[in-house]
Amino acid sequence: MSASPSNGVTPRHRPASPPMGRARYAVVLVLVALGMLLLGARIVTLHVLDQPFLQGQGNARILRTEPLSAHRGMITDRHGEPLAISTPVVTLWANPQEIADDRIQRLMLAQALGMSLDELDGRLERYADHEFMYLRRQLTPAAAQRVLDLRLAGVYAQHEYKRYYPAGEVTAQLVGVTNVDDRGQEGLELAYQPHLAGTPGKRRVVKDRRGQLVRDLEVLREAEPGGELTLSIDQRLQYVAYRELKKAVAEHEADGGIVVMLDARTGEVLAMANQPSYNPNNRAGLDPQGLRNQAIVDVFEPGSVVKPLAMAAILESGEYSLDTVIDTSPGWMRIDQFTIRDIRNYGELDLAGILEKSSNIGMSKLVLGLDEPRVPELYCRLGFGQSPETGFPGEAVGSLPAPVRWSSSQWAALSYGYGLSVSALQLASAYTALANDGVRMPPSLLKRAQPASGVEAIEPAVAHELLRIMEASVQPGTGGRRAAVPGYRVAGKTGTVRKSSARGYEKDAYRSLFAGIAPVSDPRIVTVVMIDRPRGDDYFGGAVAAPVFSRVAGSALRLLDVPPDQRERQ
Ligand code: 59J
């Protein structure tokens, strides 16, 4: 109860306010009313109009969306053997602000991470101003769990996938590699990045004010796993090719080498080995040269291994037959201002003899007797100077001079393999025309779902004739004899090519080559072997590359269950 006047009498009236006081009262009243109005308006804007924004701001401090890693698709060989697999790993990171400054705790953490206390302290110091630093990337889930079991404040886990390459250095340049963020960097990992990668998902999580994960709320979008990739490679043949190549490169102290094996009927790449190589599972201290898939991205002058192809063009002209005899004596000849030579004076040779002795003069005389540029035209149909279109990053096109106003010497040089450049893959693909009734099969690095359509490049009858005379080049007593495969008929050609540099052809640097087809009665594989700069006493293709062909082709034919087409010799 408010106090009332003790006399119980209510004053009848207040003393009248002076006129000025009344005006002031009105002003105050208006101001108060205005203030209340403003407050009301603010309440309305905060609670009604700005509500979603403010609520969002508040939630952002506890509700976050985080990426969900997508599983990268597996890469396998043609039979499903894994060549690249993604395994779950855990990356541990820390918020240095939250890591306790406690020696015992830090020692436990360092030990669980497999680092010294000094190292851990040093890194925490360096990142002292940050709220994020990696502790260890890509641990196995078990190893990461040992750290997380310590339940230390400020230590967090992030779930990812890591690429593992079971075949290691054997398929390294073809398969390629991803980087630590799981993106393709080289080879098919790079070429098929969008297909393999998939799409990361999103999840909503609740975190407390310090960023600690409180709980998983919901998956907003599931991660979409990447697609698989099935290569044309047969891992068994790949291993043999790699092993034999590595052995030969070491034995001849060579700079490197290549083996490419194609399925003669489909053009699929069954094996593609490179030296030098590298271990894609451990990229520390690797030689960048090892990254190159030389079989696809590097070109070289093919030299004599293209002679059978040039010979096909020569036979197609109809100007010569297999009985034609060419006098190659005295072992050298002048064309324009150039002297070309054979390694010896072979005298009179028929066409098979020209291939078997690898006579540059024989080839030149034959091709100079033609009135059309048949050799370069055939090279063009065989894919030289054109992209093989495998989709491999950095795929080489090579060079083939356009047939305009040529000199006779250039014309002649092309017929024995100089003045053009090809990749080992292009060379092998061209040879499929000889193996496949004249139809060249374009190469494929992926297993074909349906048969490819080839390009008719050589008359079938001419292709058959060539297969026969190339078989003569690997018989006992020939330069190619070491390419022979017990039990199987083989056709092929050796090559020994002087390497060229800016200063011209080098005196003592060679490439040793062999290109071959087997079995002759029903060809299944085409194989090209190239050994780069052998340093031993042997450097001829017949001595260095042919034995590699023999071992690789022999193993492949047996692994592919190809029936032998020749009785064993004694
Ligand atoms: C050769 C060349 C270089 C380029 C010559 C190899 C030419 C030529 C200019 C001398 C070694 C050597 C355009 S030889 O591959 O003829 O494989 O078993 O490099 O001829 O004109 O001391 N191959 N090789 N020629 N150039 N220019 C033979 C032949 C070939 C053999 C042996 C011995 C050459 C039988 C190479 C083999 O078929």
Side-chain angles (χ1 to χ4, degrees), residues 173-502:
Q173 300 80 8
L174 180 64
V175 171
V177 281
T178 56
N179 63 11
V180 72
D181 295 318
D182 219 21
R183 284 190 69 84
Q185 297 298 293
E186 300 278 347
L188 294 173
E189 289 274 37
L190 173 61
Y192 289 92
Q193 164 66 21
H195 169 78
L196 290 166
T199 317
K202 275 187 197 163
R203 61 177 184 150
R204 205 199 288 277
V205 293
V206 184
K207 298 205 161 173
D208 67 15
R209 266 190 5 261
R210 294 163 65 210
Q212 293 263 35
L213 186 77
V214 177
R215 65 194 167 104
D216 260 314
L217 257 197
E218 56 179 334
V219 172
L220 296 177
R221 194 181 66 211
E222 288 284 1
E224 232 175 83
E228 289 200 359
L229 201 60
T230 306
L231 305 193
S232 55
I233 292 291
D234 183 325
Q235 187 58 357
R236 302 167 303 167
L237 311 192
Q238 178 74 15
Y239 266 104
V240 174
Y242 184 78
R243 184 188 69 208
E244 295 302 328
L245 175 66
K246 189 172 180 175
K247 227 163 61 185
V249 166
E251 179 188 337
H252 297 283
E253 297 169 72
D255 282 353
I258 300 169
V259 173
V260 176
M261 185 186 292
L262 302 186
D263 183 316
R265 299 167 173 176
T266 67
E268 289 169 294
V269 177
L270 297 175
M272 180 174 270
N274 282 272
Q275 278 286 293
S277 190
Y278 68 100
N279 177 2
N281 297 309
N282 174 19
R283 301 189 65 196
L286 85 95
D287 172 8
Q289 276 311 106
L291 288 170
R292 300 179 71 78
N293 188 354
Q294 304 171 69
I296 301 183
V297 307
D298 286 349
V299 294
F300 50 85
E301 269 186 315
S304 302
V305 287
V306 296
K307 281 174 183 164
L309 306 171
M311 192 67 92
I314 287 162
L315 278 170
E316 278 183 339
S317 75
E319 307 268 344
Y320 306 101
S321 76
L322 289 180
D323 307 324
T324 302
V325 170
I326 300 288
D327 187 4
T328 67
S329 52
W332 59 271
M333 71 187 275
R334 285 189 74 83
I335 309 177
D336 304 332
Q337 71 274 39
F338 300 101
T339 304
I340 68 170
R341 50 183 89 247
D342 287 338
I343 210 136
R344 287 225 312 268
N345 177 4
Y346 293 116
E348 291 193 335
L349 294 173
D350 64 8
L351 299 199
I354 287 173
L355 281 190
E356 188 228 302
K357 300 295 185 205
S358 202
S359 168
N360 297 335
I361 296 183
M363 291 303 296
S364 300
K365 285 191 168 172
L366 286 169
V367 85
L368 291 176
L370 303 179
D371 47 14
E372 288 169 79
R374 287 182 171 273
V375 170
E377 278 169 11
L378 178 57
Y379 286 171
C380 191
R381 291 203 297 280
L382 292 172
F384 292 172
Q386 292 148 59
S387 169
E389 289 179 348
T390 59
F392 195 87
E395 180 178 61
V397 171
S399 70
L400 180 64
V404 281
R405 272 188 292 137
W406 279 357
S407 61
S408 299
S409 57
Q410 191 179 13
W411 200 304
L414 277 175
S415 75
Y416 61 93
Y418 297 90
L420 76 162
S421 64
V422 301
S423 68
L425 179 67
Q426 285 176 316
L427 193 55
S429 174
Y431 262 63
T432 61
L434 294 173
N436 205 33
D437 305 324
V439 177
R440 180 177 80 88
M441 302 310 289
S444 172
L445 298 171
L446 303 187
K447 186 177 180 175
R448 289 201 200 279
Q450 57 248 5
S453 48
V455 189
E456 182 157 347
I458 301 175
E459 281 173 26
V462 169
H464 295 149
E465 282 178 330
L466 268 152
L467 217 49
R468 275 215 336 270
I469 60 175
M470 284 163 74
E471 194 179 1
S473 297
V474 295
Q475 298 307 308
T478 67
R481 64 188 180 279
R482 278 180 257 189
V485 177
Y488 295 94
R489 293 170 59 196
V490 167
K493 180 72 192 80
T494 58
T496 309
V497 180
R498 278 211 157 106
K499 289 186 75 166
S500 58
S501 68

Side-chain angles (χ1 to χ4, degrees), residues 20-303:
M20 270 309 287
R22 199 179 286 269
R24 193 180 294 164
Y25 181 68
V27 168
V28 170
L29 213 69
V30 166
L31 281 179
V32 168
L34 248 166
M36 301 225 342
L37 218 80
L38 277 173
L39 274 174
R42 186 70 186 134
I43 286 165
V44 168
T45 50
L46 284 178
H47 276 265
V48 181
L49 301 178
D50 290 345
Q51 200 258 356
F53 169 77
L54 291 172
Q55 183 117 50
Q57 285 289 302
N59 285 347
R61 279 150 184 84
I62 47 164
L63 263 183
R64 292 221 207 123
T65 51
E66 303 227 310
L68 270 173
S69 299
H71 183 261
R72 190 175 176 87
M74 180 157 71
I75 301 179
T76 71
D77 88 339
R78 62 185 302 108
H79 299 303
E81 292 297 319
L83 299 176
I85 353 174
S86 285
T87 54
V89 289
V90 178
T91 284
L92 295 175
W93 59 276
N95 181 345
Q97 320 286 326
E98 299 165 8
I99 298 276
D101 191 6
D102 174 312
R103 273 193 68 78
I104 305 290
Q105 278 192 24
R106 288 206 181 177
L107 195 62
M108 282 178 4
L109 178 59
Q111 262 171 1
L113 289 167
M115 58 173 80
S116 69
L117 180 59
D118 279 354
E119 191 183 343
L120 179 63
D121 278 342
R123 293 184 52 193
L124 283 167
E125 185 135 345
R126 237 178 303 142
Y127 289 91
D129 299 340
H130 296 66
E131 293 185 339
F132 177 94
M133 67 172 246
Y134 284 120
L135 288 170
R136 270 260 186 276
R137 295 197 74 171
Q138 307 199 330
L139 286 166
T140 62
Q145 200 52 51
R146 281 196 290 278
V147 178
L148 294 170
D149 283 346
L150 298 174
R151 300 192 175 284
L152 299 178
V155 176
Y156 303 94
Q158 187 179 319
H159 295 264
E160 299 173 322
Y161 291 100
K162 181 190 178 171
R163 217 48 169 163
Y164 174 64
Y165 303 96
E169 62 179 29
V170 174
T171 49
Q173 300 80 8
L174 180 64
V175 171
V177 281
T178 56
N179 63 11
V180 72
D181 295 318
D182 219 21
R183 284 190 69 84
Q185 297 298 293
E186 300 278 347
L188 294 173
E189 289 274 37
L190 173 61
Y192 289 92
Q193 164 66 21
H195 169 78
L196 290 166
T199 317
K202 275 187 197 163
R203 61 177 184 150
R204 205 199 288 277
V205 293
V206 184
K207 298 205 161 173
D208 67 15
R209 266 190 5 261
R210 294 163 65 210
Q212 293 263 35
L213 186 77
V214 177
R215 65 194 167 104
D216 260 314
L217 257 197
E218 56 179 334
V219 172
L220 296 177
R221 194 181 66 211
E222 288 284 1
E224 232 175 83
E228 289 200 359
L229 201 60
T230 306
L231 305 193
S232 55
I233 292 291
D234 183 325
Q235 187 58 357
R236 302 167 303 167
L237 311 192
Q238 178 74 15
Y239 266 104
V240 174
Y242 184 78
R243 184 188 69 208
E244 295 302 328
L245 175 66
K246 189 172 180 175
K247 227 163 61 185
V249 166
E251 179 188 337
H252 297 283
E253 297 169 72
D255 282 353
I258 300 169
V259 173
V260 176
M261 185 186 292
L262 302 186
D263 183 316
R265 299 167 173 176
T266 67
E268 289 169 294
V269 177
L270 297 175
M272 180 174 270
N274 282 272
Q275 278 286 293
S277 190
Y278 68 100
N279 177 2
N281 297 309
N282 174 19
R283 301 189 65 196
L286 85 95
D287 172 8
Q289 276 311 106
L291 288 170
R292 300 179 71 78
N293 188 354
Q294 304 171 69
I296 301 183
V297 307
D298 286 349
V299 294
F300 50 85
E301 269 186 315

